[in-house]
């Protein structure tokens, strides 16, 4: 029996990056031998075991063969005869197909170390094209390592293009797709993930609503970058630069979908795109079964982002409606995430990345003024039920008028 550290742990050590997850491969062992040494089985589809002390995962070396559509359409074969090289060749990228023993002696049959040095994301073998999930994984690695200068090898991009055209991407489950998408959006350069998906034709299949934004012009006075797709990438880039959470990044990606529905004769204007985009945002969220908080924020940002940009001009009554829509009294954090998503939208414009966004603090102040209206005096005056709600609304409106007056003085 031989045990090797494989995959990401080897790759990241060679890159000088922190190693978090460690995968182990066991060569020359049987299931019975693993059990006899105290390992606990966890894999339903293929032999994976938990170490009796560390709890880390150890997998028997295995080969795989395509047997159906999608990510799960494989049959696996594990036996003591399977070599380390045979196990590594089934992996996605050469930089993930290296192994090392306990002395850090490297096994690198597919030149992963060379590709690390050359900053290339390259597939290990033609079997890459058998797994559609790898399109998303490679795009995610491109987003992770773009800052180090990594790019996707042309021949790998071509295989990804073939996979995108084959119909295999449609076989991916919503859960598997969302896992990759959500992880990719939290990488250092999530805009690269979207760009790589577009380069290989996968964006058109997975998120046609986002793909449709490229080539759609906007007024140059507000959007020097003009192209709505490029603007979306820039907004996503800003959200990563400012270390925003997943909810905000997801909202940034989807906020302008309505512009993809604007008839060409109306370009570059996009009248009521906030409302026309809601059905598209909802469709994308449902397609990937995005978590509820991501769905809610994306819809709210899509509907109200132009309200935020015009915050200083809004009437007190419109301000109150906006605050009510977000339930700022019970869910202040959601309103804060809305504000920062809108700020990312404002900064995601060519040459305007550093400009100030006074609307953010103005809206925070408005929310504070409305929240500080006390309920107790109204209860003491005998208000209850619907009348209490109306009285509270009147007092909040009064507070917002006072806030506006003070802010403009």
């Amino acid at each position: 029996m031989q045990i090797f550290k494989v995959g990401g742990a080897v790759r990241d050590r060679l890159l000088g990056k922190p190693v978090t997850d460690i995968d182990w491969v066991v060569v020359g062992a049987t299931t019975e031998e693993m059990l006899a040494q105290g390992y606990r089985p966890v894999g339903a589809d293929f032999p994976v075991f938990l170490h009796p002390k560390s709890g880390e995962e150890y997998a028997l070396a295995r080969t795989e063969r395509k047997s159906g559509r999608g990510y799960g359409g494989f049959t696996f074969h594990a036996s003591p005869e399977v070599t380390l090289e045979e196990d590594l060749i089934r992996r996605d990228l050469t930089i993930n197909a290296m192994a090392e023993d306990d002395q850090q002696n490297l096994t690198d049959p597919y030149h992963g170390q060379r590709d690390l040095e050359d900053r290339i994301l390259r597939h290990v073998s033609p079997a890459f094209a058998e797994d559609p999930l790898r399109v998303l994984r490679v795009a995610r690695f491109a987003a992770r390592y773009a800052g180090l200068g990594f790019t996707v090898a042309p021949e790998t991009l071509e295989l990804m293009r073939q996979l995108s055209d084959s119909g295999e991407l449609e076989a991916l489950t919503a859960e598997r797709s969302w896992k990759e998408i959500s992880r990719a959006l939290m990488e250092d350069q999530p805009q690269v993930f979207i760009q790589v998906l577009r380069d290989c034709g996968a964006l058109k299949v997975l998120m046609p609503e986002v793909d449709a934004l490229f080539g759609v012009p906007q007024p140059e006075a507000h959007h020097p970058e003009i192209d709505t797709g490029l603007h979306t990438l820039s907004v996503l880039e800003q959200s990563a630069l400012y270390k925003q959470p997943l909810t905000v990044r997801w909202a940034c990606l989807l906020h302008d979908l309505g512009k993809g529905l604007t008839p060409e004769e109306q370009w570059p204007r996009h009248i009521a795109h906030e409302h026309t985009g809601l059905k598209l945002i909802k469709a994308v969220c449902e397609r990937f079964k995005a978590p509820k908080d991501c769905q809610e924020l994306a819809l709210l940002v899509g509907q109200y982002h132009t309200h935020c940009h015009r915050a200083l001009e809004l009437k007190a009554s419109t301000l109150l409606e906006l605050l009510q829509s977000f339930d700022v009294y019970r869910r202040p954090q959601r309103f804060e995430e809305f504000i920062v998503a809108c700020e990312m939208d404002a900064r995601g414009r060519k040459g305007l990345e550093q400009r100030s966004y006074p609307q953010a603090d103005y809206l925070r102040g408005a929310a504070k003024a409305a929240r500080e209206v006390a309920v107790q005096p109204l209860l003491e005056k005998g208000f209850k039920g619907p009348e209490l709600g109306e009285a509270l609304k009147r007092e909040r409106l009064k507070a917002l008028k006072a806030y506006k007056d003070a802010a403009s003085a």
Side-chain angles (χ1 to χ4, degrees):
M1 181 192 297
Q2 292 177 291
I3 297 175
F4 297 90
K5 190 182 291 182
V6 294
V10 180
R11 174 199 69 222
D12 288 343
R13 184 185 72 78
L14 292 172
L15 280 173
K17 297 179 82 67
V19 174
T20 48
D21 297 325
I22 300 179
D23 293 321
W24 303 91
V25 161
V26 184
V27 177
T30 63
T31 297
E32 292 72 25
E33 287 171 321
M34 297 295 284
L35 294 174
Q37 292 195 26
Y39 287 83
R40 291 176 288 122
V42 288
D45 299 324
F46 43 79
V48 177
F49 304 85
L50 296 182
H51 191 279
K53 290 181 181 173
S54 71
E56 291 178 329
E57 287 193 359
Y58 286 65
L60 294 187
R62 63 187 186 269
T63 59
E64 61 186 35
R65 185 169 51 83
K66 185 76 168 167
S67 60
R69 289 187 81 210
Y71 166 75
F74 293 89
T75 53
F76 297 92
H77 170 67
S79 81
E81 287 74 45
V82 176
T83 65
L84 180 60
E85 289 74 15
E86 287 172 326
D87 181 273
L88 294 174
I89 201 171
R90 66 180 177 76
R91 295 172 185 269
D92 50 7
L93 298 171
T94 59
I95 65 168
N96 295 331
M98 297 180 284
E100 60 184 26
D101 60 18
D102 56 4
Q103 302 298 310
Q104 290 190 344
N105 295 311
L106 192 68
T107 300
D108 181 20
Y110 309 110
H111 311 297
Q113 190 170 22
R114 184 181 66 195
D115 283 343
L116 270 186
E117 291 164 0
D118 293 341
R119 301 305 198 236
I120 294 289
L121 301 174
R122 192 193 316 275
H123 63 283
V124 179
S125 77
F128 174 94
E130 294 178 351
D131 184 355
L133 192 68
R134 289 176 169 176
V135 172
L136 290 165
R137 277 177 56 82
V138 172
R140 173 165 65 80
F141 280 118
R144 178 182 297 179
Y145 296 124
L148 296 177
F150 277 82
T151 57
V152 182
E155 62 270 28
T156 303
L157 200 63
E158 179 55 35
L159 276 184
M160 292 164 70
R161 197 172 288 119
Q162 290 172 23
L163 262 173
S164 301
D165 293 341
S166 70
E168 280 273 320
L169 290 176
E170 288 95 323
L172 291 174
T173 65
E175 292 78 9
R176 290 299 312 183
S177 296
W178 176 254
K179 186 177 180 182
E180 290 296 326
I181 291 167
S182 58
R183 290 178 72 186
L185 290 180
M186 293 308 294
E187 298 290 1
D188 287 342
Q189 297 199 37
Q191 77 282 2
V192 173
F193 171 72
I194 299 299
Q195 184 62 60
V196 170
L197 290 184
R198 186 161 188 269
D199 291 343
C200 71
L203 190 63
K204 186 171 55 184
V205 178
L206 296 166
M207 297 185 206
E209 301 87 351
V210 176
D211 192 66
L213 299 177
F214 290 86
V216 174
Q218 305 167 101
E220 190 174 359
H222 303 296
H223 288 277
E225 72 287 345
I226 300 176
D227 188 288
T228 309
L230 296 181
H231 165 63
T232 299
L233 294 182
S234 295
V235 177
L236 201 49
E237 181 179 12
Q238 291 297 314
S239 73
L241 281 172
Y242 283 88
K243 309 292 185 192
Q244 299 300 344
L246 177 62
T247 45
V248 172
R249 298 188 192 203
W250 182 241
C252 286
L253 177 63
L254 305 184
H255 78 284
D256 262 350
L257 291 189
K259 291 180 178 177
L261 295 176
T262 305
E264 285 189 35
E265 60 270 16
Q266 292 181 19
W267 289 354
R269 299 179 70 209
H270 297 279
I271 299 161
H273 74 277
E274 307 91 342
H275 297 285
T276 56
L278 293 180
K279 62 184 178 184
L280 300 183
I281 294 172
K282 194 170 183 185
V284 177
C285 286
E286 289 177 352
R287 184 179 313 136
F288 298 111
K289 297 184 180 175
K292 190 179 177 186
D293 57 348
C294 287
Q295 295 198 33
E296 287 178 353
L297 188 68
L299 287 164
L300 287 164
V301 171
Q303 184 169 357
Y304 293 112
H305 63 277
T306 51
H307 276 60
C308 191
H309 299 330
R310 294 185 294 107
L312 304 177
E313 308 155 28
L314 297 181
K315 295 186 296 187
S317 57
T318 309
L319 261 180
L320 181 59
E321 285 172 21
L322 180 66
L323 298 176
Q324 304 274 81
S325 299
F326 280 84
D327 192 8
V328 295
Y329 317 108
R330 291 182 300 178
R331 300 187 63 182
Q333 182 58 31
R334 185 169 65 175
F335 191 59
E336 176 60 29
E337 290 183 353
F338 163 74
I339 291 172
V340 296
C342 294
E343 183 171 357
M344 298 305 100
D345 179 25
R347 292 183 185 280
R349 304 172 195 222
K350 191 175 180 182
L352 303 176
E353 296 86 356
Q354 301 303 318
R355 71 171 174 179
S356 62
Y357 193 69
Q359 297 93 321
D361 282 340
Y362 180 80
L363 281 180
R364 289 183 184 111
K368 183 172 182 286
R371 274 199 298 267
E372 284 177 350
V373 172
V375 181
Q376 192 58 36
L378 299 175
L379 291 170
E380 288 169 2
K381 287 180 181 176
F383 287 108
K384 55 186 175 182
E387 284 129 357
L388 175 62
E390 286 304 311
L392 197 51
K393 202 171 172 182
R394 285 193 299 273
E395 291 301 312
R396 284 169 175 161
L397 184 58
K398 202 185 296 181
L400 287 171
K401 283 179 178 172
Y403 174 75
K404 267 189 75 66
D405 291 343
S408 58

